[in-house]
DNA sequence: TTATCATGTAACTTTTAATGTTTCATGTAT
DNA sequence: ATACATGAAACATTAAAAGTTACATGATAA
């Protein structure tokens, strides 16, 4: 039941935007150095994106990872979902006295709130395509109408 | 950087509502048995609530933990805050290339969304007082107007 | 005033899943 | 063939919450 404060989304997005600016494929070693991590972790993570069709991989000389779609056709939601994380919340519910009406009430109340907040979060993620992360300045806000 | 899927909020709320139905104080041992945990963990957690004035503790014979306020004067937000958790999200941001405009853009976009979702979540938590968890049936939803 | 009970707290161990690492198999280009 | 790069299995490391042990402090009751 332990989960890291997961910065994979942030790191993967960072990589994907950089990849768009490269000519050829990026190797797992190159990406690992970018992210201060190691190639196997990179392969594990990129494999999830490959399954969903966001990147491709080529073996051998001159191989590596490439975008399978333009950044404008990938959203924050797509990447988040591909990474396959469960709940986005650190807050969890108990499941020990499922017959206790108080536990049911407590969990129900918390769950209502978590579901609403998660729905909002995912909706916002769906609104942001990765091409919008290329030139965004520090103070600029991502809005729905833009 | 590891954090458990934290069910402390759910567990503590469960306890607080039960405490309201008791005559005298509840000991750490009693509460620990309720939660399938141990007394020291209970004391650590209850100490956080005591600091914020939501419960009191009495030592010695007949001692234990009691509510310092009626349930109607404690919100989900109060308890959540007292437990002193950091972010409610498992999603975190990188902080390794703070000079890279792409990382800034990525983190900015994610952070905008997280902040909005967290604001909503906390606002909803503020709307729910613990007395509303006493009789809530399974299908009943907590609404703002009710 | 002594025994018992209960919180307060420090120090240490356990747990657990992501991450890191090693190693080798598989496939590809030169 | 050789070098390069992904694919993947197996194992070690890490880090923070939770569990545990031990003892000090304070309060009640006999």
């Amino acid at each position: 039941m332990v989960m890291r404060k997961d910065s994979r989304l942030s790191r993967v997005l960072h990589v994907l935007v950089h990849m768009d600016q490269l000519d050829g494929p990026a190797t797992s070693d190159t990406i690992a150095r970018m992210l201060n991590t190691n190639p196997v972790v990179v392969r594990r993570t990129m494999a999830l994106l490959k399954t969903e069709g966001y990147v491709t991989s080529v073996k051998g000389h001159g191989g590596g990872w490439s975008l399978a779609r333009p950044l404008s056709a990938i959203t924050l939601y797509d990447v988040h979902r591909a990474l396959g994380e469960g709940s986005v919340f650190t807050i969890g519910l108990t499941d020990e006295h499922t017959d206790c009406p108080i536990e049911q009430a407590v969990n129900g109340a918390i769950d209502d709130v978590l579901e609403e907040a998660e729905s909002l979060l995912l909706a916002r993620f769906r609104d942001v395509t990765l091409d919008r992360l290329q030139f965004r300045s520090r103070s600029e806000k991502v809005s729905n109408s833009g």
Side-chain angles (χ1 to χ4, degrees), chain A residues 30-97:
Chain A
T30 303
I31 296 172
R33 272 191 295 274
M34 266 186 62
L35 298 181
N36 295 321
T37 181
N38 73 79
V40 178
V41 172
V42 171
R43 286 187 200 116
R44 278 205 284 246
T45 306
M46 296 299 280
L48 299 172
L49 299 182
K50 183 181 177 182
T51 301
E52 301 293 317
Y54 303 125
V55 299
T56 57
S57 64
V58 174
K59 290 182 175 181
H61 266 291
W65 301 93
S66 303
L67 290 171
R69 305 186 188 183
L71 293 182
S72 58
I74 308 175
T75 67
L76 294 196
Y77 173 79
D78 293 332
V79 177
H80 166 73
R81 190 164 186 280
L83 293 179
E85 310 179 61
S87 168
V88 298
F89 298 107
T90 57
I91 297 174
L93 304 180
T94 57
D95 189 20
E96 293 163 351
H97 310 82

